[in-house]
């Protein structure tokens, strides 16, 4: 950790004392470490509660199965069996909801843990290392795979930034969040790139973002809010929330495979299962119909395109 430079006639002890900035940084780091330990402990207990709740639910499901077997053996449905099954199924639904709530809380804890770790990496005073291409592509793929799946409660609608659901107009991306940023290159061409937020200024209504794939020292951009689009923070479940996915034929911006740039594309097929990706057709003039063959892109890297469809 660097020391403040002492003045010509000052006491030598002043140069050995931590500056106020260093003290604040140490205090912040200590608080983050404490909070991280608390969250890990809470997550540990939640996981055990999930296991216990699942065991209770499985016991009840076994009772349901045995009751159905007895009914088949007796070949009749008596009021006793009707009442018993009604009670067992009600209990099964309550067990499932209790387990789902514990899983939601666990996902929230995991999100908090990840945010603290990301901020700790971001606040490091060491120079940002230049990541090898293969490592970067693997990291982006892992980020897409580990994106949390939104699990709706009965009657609940998917929130903003779940799949295709847009962010609120007043939403501000947080430090270290990944975003799509529209930047201008040295030759004047504009492109949508994958970037990471460093800070947002309320005074200027502008973001400072780092190009995730640029050489060190050349990656920082200051952009107005309209030139920055947050990426989804939850995957939408096609089986329960299909309305939170882009439909077939929708114009989008999608991250071209093995690159860090977003390009215009049409949705060829939306995901059918929670773990599925979009199938998209990128605009490409080298093909007779103006579109590439279908390519797979994760929900994490497919966002709304506000421009008109090409003519």
């Amino acid at each position: 950790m660097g020391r403040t430079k002492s003045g010509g006639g000052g006491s030598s002890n002043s140069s050995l004392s931590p500056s106020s900035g260093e003290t604040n940084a140490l205090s912040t780091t200590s608080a983050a470490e404490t909070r991280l330990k608390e969250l890990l402990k809470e997550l540990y207990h939640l996981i055990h509660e999930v296991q216990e709740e699942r065991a209770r639910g499985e016991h009840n499901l076994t009772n349901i199965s045995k009751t159905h077997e007895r009914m088949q053996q007796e070949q009749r449905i008596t009021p006793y069996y009707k009442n018993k099954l009604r009670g067992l199924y009600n209990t099964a639904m309550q067990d499932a909801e209790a387990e789902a709530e514990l899983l939601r809380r666990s996902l929230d804890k995991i999100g908090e843990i990840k945010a603290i770790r990301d901020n700790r990496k971001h606040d490091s005073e060491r120079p940002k290392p230049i990541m090898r291409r293969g490592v970067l592509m693997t990291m982006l793929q892992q980020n897409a795979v580990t994106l949390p799946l939104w699990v709706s409660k009965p009657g609940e609608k998917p929130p903003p930034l779940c799949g295709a659901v847009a962010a609120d107009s007043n939403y501000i991306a947080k430090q270290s969040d990944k975003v799509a940023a529209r930047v201008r290159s040295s030759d004047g061409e504009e492109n949508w790139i994958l970037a990471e937020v460093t800070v947002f200024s309320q005074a200027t209504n502008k973001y400072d973002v780092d190009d995730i794939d640029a050489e060190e020292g050349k990656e920082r951009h200051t952009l107005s809010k309209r030139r920055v689009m947050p990426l989804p923070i939850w995957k939408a479940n096609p089986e329960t929330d299909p309305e939170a996915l882009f439909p077939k034929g929708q114009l989008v911006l999608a991250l071209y495979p093995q690159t860090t740039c977003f390009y215009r594309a049409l949705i060829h097929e939306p995901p059918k299962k929670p773990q599925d990706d979009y199938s998209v057709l990128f605009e490409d003039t080298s093909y007779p119909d103006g579109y590439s063959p279908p390519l797979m892109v994760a929900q994490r890297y497919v966002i709304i395109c506000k421009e008109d469809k090409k003519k």
Side-chain angles (χ1 to χ4, degrees):
M1 180 177 290
R3 295 186 180 130
T4 55
K5 193 172 181 179
S6 60
S11 168
S12 60
N13 288 335
S14 64
S15 65
L16 299 177
S17 302
S19 66
S20 60
E22 290 172 328
T23 301
N24 291 337
L26 287 170
S27 176
T28 301
T29 300
S30 178
E33 289 289 345
T34 301
R35 181 57 181 157
L36 190 59
K37 290 177 181 177
E38 291 174 352
L39 287 169
L40 288 169
K41 187 180 294 184
E42 292 170 10
L43 179 61
Y44 174 82
H45 290 301
L46 277 171
I47 290 172
H48 275 275
E49 287 184 51
V50 169
Q51 292 173 331
E52 292 170 359
E53 190 62 49
R54 183 165 298 174
R56 280 193 292 271
E58 288 176 351
H59 178 72
N60 190 60
L61 292 175
T62 300
N63 287 336
I64 291 175
S65 179
K66 288 180 177 178
T67 303
H68 277 288
E69 288 175 2
R70 293 193 192 102
M71 289 170 55
Q72 289 176 350
Q73 290 172 0
E74 296 182 14
Q75 295 185 349
R76 61 192 181 121
I77 303 175
T78 64
Y80 166 77
Y81 283 131
K82 283 184 179 180
N83 290 332
K84 183 175 182 179
L85 282 174
R86 186 179 293 111
L88 288 172
Y89 276 113
N90 285 335
T91 301
M93 291 174 64
Q94 293 170 5
D95 290 343
E97 181 54 39
E99 183 180 342
E101 181 59 29
L102 288 170
L103 289 171
R104 292 188 193 99
R105 289 168 56 191
S106 299
L107 285 172
D108 289 342
K109 298 298 178 188
I110 291 171
E112 288 186 64
I113 291 168
K114 188 175 183 297
I116 291 175
R117 287 181 169 172
D118 287 346
N119 288 336
R120 190 167 58 182
K121 291 177 184 177
H122 185 84
D123 292 338
S124 171
E125 293 185 1
R126 291 176 295 178
K128 182 180 178 181
I130 300 175
M131 194 176 296
R132 288 184 300 172
R133 188 86 185 163
V135 175
L136 176 60
M137 292 300 111
T138 299
M139 183 196 75
L140 296 182
Q141 184 179 14
Q142 289 175 341
N143 286 345
V145 171
T146 58
L147 191 68
L149 178 70
W150 174 258
V151 181
S152 298
K153 296 179 180 178
E156 185 178 23
K157 292 184 177 180
L161 293 180
C162 172
V165 183
D168 292 332
S169 59
N170 59 350
Y171 179 82
I172 302 298
K174 299 183 290 295
Q175 183 185 58
S176 79
D177 277 1
K178 303 295 187 299
V179 295
R182 189 173 185 175
V183 302
R184 191 187 303 274
S185 61
S186 56
D187 60 5
E189 185 179 357
E190 292 195 340
N191 293 296
W192 285 96
I193 65 167
L194 182 61
E196 183 176 271
V197 173
T198 60
V199 69
F200 176 77
S201 171
Q202 294 284 356
T204 63
N205 204 38
K206 290 184 177 182
Y207 285 100
D208 280 354
V209 302
D210 287 345
D211 183 347
I212 202 169
D213 192 28
E215 294 180 4
E216 190 177 358
K218 299 180 181 179
E219 73 277 359
R220 179 89 21 118
H221 301 275
T222 299
L223 304 169
S224 62
K225 189 179 176 184
R226 62 185 177 83
R227 285 179 166 263
V228 174
M229 293 181 64
L231 302 185
I233 58 177
W234 290 287
K235 282 187 287 191
N237 188 343
E239 297 171 348
T240 58
D241 302 301
E243 72 280 6
L245 292 166
F246 293 111
K248 184 180 178 69
Q250 172 76 47
L251 180 68
V252 296
L253 288 174
L255 195 70
Y256 197 89
Q258 299 302 307
T259 77
T260 57
C261 288
F262 291 84
Y263 297 100
R264 289 155 55 105
L266 292 179
I267 298 296
H268 178 60
E269 290 291 344
K272 291 183 172 59
K273 295 181 179 179
Q275 67 272 21
D276 289 349
D277 296 335
Y278 282 100
S279 173
V280 304
L281 308 173
F282 285 97
E283 292 184 354
D284 192 333
T285 56
S286 65
Y287 291 91
D289 63 354
Y291 292 97
S292 71
L295 294 171
M296 307 306 293
V297 181
Q299 284 196 47
R300 170 75 163 163
Y301 304 121
V302 179
I303 56 177
I304 188 68
C305 180
K306 298 180 180 178
E307 305 167 14
D308 294 332
K309 187 183 296 187
K310 71 173 187 178
K311 297 179 180 179

